[in-house]
Amino acid sequence: MTLQADAGVAAPSRAAQPRQGFRADIQGLRAFAVVVVILDHLFHWPSGGFVGVDVFFVISGYLITSHILRELDRTGRLSLSGFYRRRIRRIAPAATVTIVVTVAISALVLPYGRAMSIAVDGVWAFFFGANWRSMAVGTDYFQLGQLPSPLQHYWSLSVEEQFYFVWPLLTMVVFVYAIRRWHAARIARVAVTAVFAILVVASFGWAMVETATNPTAAYFSTFTRAWELGVGALLAAVSLGRWSIPFAFRVVLAWLGVAGLIASVFLIDATSPFPAPTAALPVLSTAAVIAAGIGIGGRTYDRALWPITNRVSTYVGAVSYSLYLWHFPVIVLLAAFVPLESRRYYVLALAITAVVSVLSYHFVEEPVRRSTWLLPKAPGAKPDRRGPIVAAVAVMALVAVAGLGAARLATPPPAASTPPPSAGACFGAEAAPGADVTCSVDEGVTADDVAPTLDQLPDDTAGGYSCWRQKGGPLKTCTFGSEEPDAMKVALVGDSHAAAMLPAFLDRAEALDWSLDTYTGFGCQWRDQSDGSDCDAVADEIQQRLVDGDYDLVITTAARWAIADASPESFSTRWAEVASTGAEVVVVSAVPTVPETAFACLSRVGADLSECTTSRSEATQPTDVQLEAAAQAGVDVVDMTDFYCTETECPMVIGDVIVYRDAAGHISGTYMKTMAPYLIERIEAVTG
């Protein structure tokens, strides 16, 4: 599709165009961006390394829009088909190779369920919808604490390509309309600049709203990220006119931008309101560096910015796209072979990323760029054989790799049943220190020995969330157990950790003569909620039901990481009010929380799962606020930590049962059911 200005309007002069060609400073910015992203993902340092993505957005917005505007300014028209062919040539080959190899390796070495999820991620990534997939998964409660997908980083590519699906057409329509309406290229440039400015302000404003109300969507949404690409585009539009800046001012401006970028990666962290307004610092800093170098070249300027214009920086900038594509699959999948966060892991991750990225650049990116693939053939031109040869070799290799992975995914593992314990062995919580039972111990525990299986683990809730209030939803409550009028009235109250405790009571409530009401929901700990929080109104409704419900026993618990900043008084006042009605209030202490490294250990090829542990001192942090609150309210506490940990460590597997369902501290349904007699015994002991 091509839209053209009136034939009677002369094509604008190229005299006012900014300098084109190699920009060492922009390559240096790319190098900075990809290096800090890799450091953040691998070492979790510096704290704001993720702003490298924002640097890429501004660079992309500037360069792509510059190409669009130059074509419009020079010819008065824009070939959309040509634009999209160039984008496909630049983005698709390396991105597709990375997706196929990642999905195939995942299928070969990871548990079936996780491999299938990554395959789905690959489809979304291939069609540039990874950011939508990330938004859906990021807001899915039951994905909380799960290990990341090796293709999660494709969200930023998806944002860019969605942006460019609309941006060229919008720019072309505004430019050509202005030419036809006012017959002046200068006015067309002003019109484009004005429209860009309006869209940048609108997107930034929406990002401010979404960051405050829906931070997950704000992080991944094209609408809340468009202003970052738009700042680069706006700079490209402004620089179409005369761009004359004194040399000394250019150098100062560029170094101010570099200083702003360095400050960004150390001042910004995961708690910062992002992307708006915090991302304005790296975005404007990147724009400053780009603006300083517009229309100027030569060794003198490059020497003034040597840290980002030297040969190492420019080469890293050249391979930055491949580095970005490959680093995250390497970081995630390497954990299936090497202990996570070991020295060997870090060395191998860096080495493999570097080697694979350089190979990708020289044998995928560059051959495609130099070929005539998707380009219109000039009359009489000789056919370019390099592109087809490279494509044929790549396709054969990808088909072979993908075939291996597809064969695995096409044959799901049989549904596994709980393996019976061997003679003299203890199953689940029977083998915990708190059970005080002598058990036979096998020398090694493999993935084939445990229940639930690694494939079943993410969904092993054992009915704990069968009556569950979703985020933003109304109160949902159910009654389990005895229906006799004189049954003991019991309530289970709290967040997802309280819901994870429900399987311990479901099969025993009737035998205990309990009539068990559940009041569990997303993030709804039994405490005073802040005004306007997701649980504010629901918490008050639950409190009233507990006060009026004539309960004999109320059981509660909460995730220690979710209440770290809560005051003990926010709990104790509500607990004391219900206790004053005559109900026994029992607080079950927060379960320990294990990190992602422990889950990576579970799925490591050939791992002895008995070695997958976390130190007790780490797993029991932060301190459980509920303990102080219980002392203030004068209510009973049941501590089950000895069913999760020894005196020094908290294992992932106890009695051939996987204890934790995810890295957010949710206990697997299978293990919780084995804990039932011990948990109930301790509740009865403190309540009499």
Side-chain angles (χ1 to χ4, degrees):
M1 177 181 177
T2 302
L3 193 60
Q4 186 171 345
D6 291 342
V9 179
S13 168
R14 299 181 65 181
Q17 303 274 335
R19 172 182 72 92
Q20 297 309 312
F22 181 74
R23 292 266 313 255
D25 54 344
I26 289 182
Q27 291 292 67
L29 286 175
R30 284 180 169 140
F32 173 86
V34 78
V35 166
V36 297
V37 166
I38 292 173
L39 290 175
D40 177 51
H41 286 158
L42 183 58
F43 299 103
H44 309 295
W45 178 93
S47 62
F50 54 87
V51 305
V53 171
D54 307 274
V55 176
F56 280 127
F57 282 159
V58 180
I59 294 172
S60 180
Y62 171 75
L63 292 178
I64 300 301
T65 306
S66 293
H67 291 312
I68 294 171
L69 292 176
R70 281 200 306 273
E71 185 174 343
L72 286 168
D73 204 43
R74 184 177 66 252
T75 67
R77 63 183 182 178
L78 176 67
S79 170
L80 288 178
S81 62
F83 173 84
Y84 293 123
R85 283 199 300 267
R86 290 191 296 271
R87 291 302 296 168
I88 292 172
R89 279 163 49 86
R90 176 71 181 94
I91 299 297
T96 302
V97 170
T98 307
I99 291 170
V100 172
V101 172
T102 300
V103 170
I105 294 176
S106 300
L108 293 173
V109 303
L110 296 181
Y112 180 83
R114 189 170 174 222
M116 281 298 296
S117 177
I118 291 170
V120 173
D121 293 337
V123 174
W124 282 93
F126 181 79
F127 290 104
F128 301 113
N131 62 322
W132 298 332
R133 168 77 168 166
S134 295
M135 280 191 283
V137 172
T139 56
D140 181 357
Y141 171 77
F142 293 100
Q143 295 291 332
L144 182 65
Q146 299 295 329
L147 292 170
S149 165
L151 297 173
Q152 181 174 286
H153 64 312
Y154 269 68
W155 73 267
S156 62
L157 295 180
S158 299
V159 167
E160 279 198 27
E161 297 318 304
Q162 291 163 22
F163 179 85
Y164 290 127
F165 186 76
V166 175
W167 198 252
L169 179 61
L170 172 69
T171 304
M172 181 177 65
V173 168
V174 173
F175 192 94
V176 173
Y177 173 80
I179 286 284
R180 290 179 176 177
R181 178 70 175 82
W182 290 287
H183 303 283
R186 181 180 59 82
I187 297 179
R189 296 186 197 118
V190 172
V192 167
T193 303
V195 170
F196 286 179
I198 292 170
L199 293 176
V200 166
V201 171
S203 174
F204 183 80
W206 179 240
M208 290 284 289
V209 173
E210 284 284 85
T211 299
T213 59
N214 193 354
T216 299
Y219 193 88
F220 294 115
S221 171
T222 305
F223 298 106
T224 56
R225 292 289 192 158
W227 67 274
E228 301 181 34
L229 292 116
V231 167
L234 186 59
L235 180 58
V238 171
S239 66
L240 274 179
R242 294 189 177 276
W243 194 261
S244 179
I245 304 176
F247 182 84
F249 183 78
R250 289 178 182 273
V251 174
V252 171
L253 181 61
W255 276 110
L256 284 174
V258 171
L261 289 173
I262 294 173
S264 297
V265 300
F266 291 105
L267 296 179
I268 296 172
D269 59 28
T271 64
S272 303
F274 209 86
T278 313
L281 178 57
V283 166
L284 295 179
S285 298
T286 304
V289 177
I290 297 173
I294 293 175
I296 190 173
R299 295 180 180 177
T300 303
Y301 182 75
D302 288 346
R303 278 199 298 267
L305 298 176
W306 184 85
I308 65 170
T309 58
N310 62 76
R311 290 187 178 183
V312 174
S313 295
T314 54
Y315 181 77
V316 174
V319 300
S320 60
Y321 178 52
S322 282
L323 281 168
Y324 184 79
L325 289 177
W326 284 104
H327 82 281
F328 205 61
V330 170
I331 288 172
V332 174
L333 295 179
L334 185 61
F337 303 94
V338 180
L340 197 64
E341 296 188 357
S342 64
R343 181 179 300 177
R344 183 159 51 110
Y345 170 80
Y346 291 126
V347 172
L348 285 174
L350 291 173
I352 295 172
T353 297
V355 171
V356 175
S357 300
V358 169
L359 292 175
S360 174
Y361 174 72
H362 288 289
F363 292 98
V364 179
E365 283 190 67
E366 282 295 278
V368 172
R369 186 181 66 83
R370 288 195 294 264
S371 74
T372 58
W373 180 58
L374 289 183
L375 294 181
K377 300 293 187 295
K382 294 181 180 180
D384 186 349
R385 302 185 187 279
R386 290 174 299 177
I389 292 174
V390 172
V393 173
V395 167
M396 287 189 292
L398 291 177
V399 167
V401 174
L404 293 173
R408 162 97 192 284
L409 295 180
T411 310
S417 58
T418 301
S422 57
C426 296
F427 186 67
E430 293 177 340
D436 196 22
V437 176
T438 301
C439 305
S440 63
V441 179
D442 295 330
E443 286 299 317
V445 180
T446 70
D448 296 329
D449 301 326
V450 297
T453 66
L454 294 180
D455 289 322
Q456 295 169 329
L457 182 60
D459 300 319
D460 184 41
T461 60
Y465 301 90
S466 57
C467 187
W468 167 255
R469 174 201 172 262
Q470 298 286 350
K471 182 179 181 180
L475 173 64
K476 187 174 182 180
T477 181
C478 301
T479 302
F480 302 95
S482 174
E483 297 180 358
E484 297 298 323
D486 60 346
M488 183 175 180
K489 293 197 65 178
V490 182
L492 176 63
V493 190
D495 59 11
S496 56
H497 282 216
M501 198 162 55
L502 179 59
F505 307 130
L506 283 178
D507 296 337
R508 297 171 180 263
E510 188 165 359
L512 291 167
D513 197 29
W514 283 11
S515 176
L516 174 65
D517 295 337
T518 58
Y519 300 99
T520 59
F522 181 93
C524 289
Q525 300 88 21
W526 185 16
R527 63 185 177 96
D528 292 335
Q529 301 286 336
S530 58
D531 292 339
S533 75
D534 181 61
C535 292
D536 185 20
V538 172
D540 291 339
E541 185 179 356
I542 291 173
Q543 184 70 11
Q544 194 60 51
R545 292 198 183 199
L546 294 174
V547 170
D548 297 339
D550 193 25
Y551 284 102
D552 300 300
L553 172 64
V554 181
I555 305 168
T556 188
T557 193
R560 66 172 66 240
W561 52 266
I563 59 175
D565 297 327
S567 68
E569 292 76 16
S570 65
F571 292 91
S572 60
T573 53
R574 297 213 171 205
W575 297 350
E577 183 182 15
V578 173
S580 67
T581 67
E584 292 274 5
V585 175
V586 174
V587 179
V588 179
S589 62
V591 302
T593 304
V594 297
E596 290 181 354
T597 53
F599 283 88
C601 176
L602 282 184
S603 57
R604 193 163 66 242
V605 176
D608 179 356
L609 304 192
S610 64
E611 297 178 355
C612 300
T613 63
T614 304
S615 70
R616 178 167 176 155
S617 59
E618 177 185 354
T620 54
Q621 292 299 319
T623 302
D624 185 4
V625 174
Q626 296 176 109
L627 303 183
E628 184 178 347
Q632 291 181 0
V635 300
D636 296 313
V637 173
V638 167
D639 187 355
M640 302 298 293
T641 307
D642 55 347
F643 279 88
Y644 303 113
C645 306
T646 66
E647 292 184 359
T648 58
E649 61 186 18
C650 303
M652 286 294 296
V653 175
I654 297 177
D656 290 342
V657 176
I658 299 177
V659 178
Y660 300 91
R661 193 169 56 81
D662 55 33
H666 298 106
I667 303 303
S668 71
T670 300
Y671 189 75
M672 183 57 69
K673 290 174 74 171
T674 69
M675 280 184 57
Y678 308 104
L679 175 60
I680 293 170
E681 180 183 10
R682 290 190 178 182
I683 290 174
E684 290 179 334
V686 298
T687 61

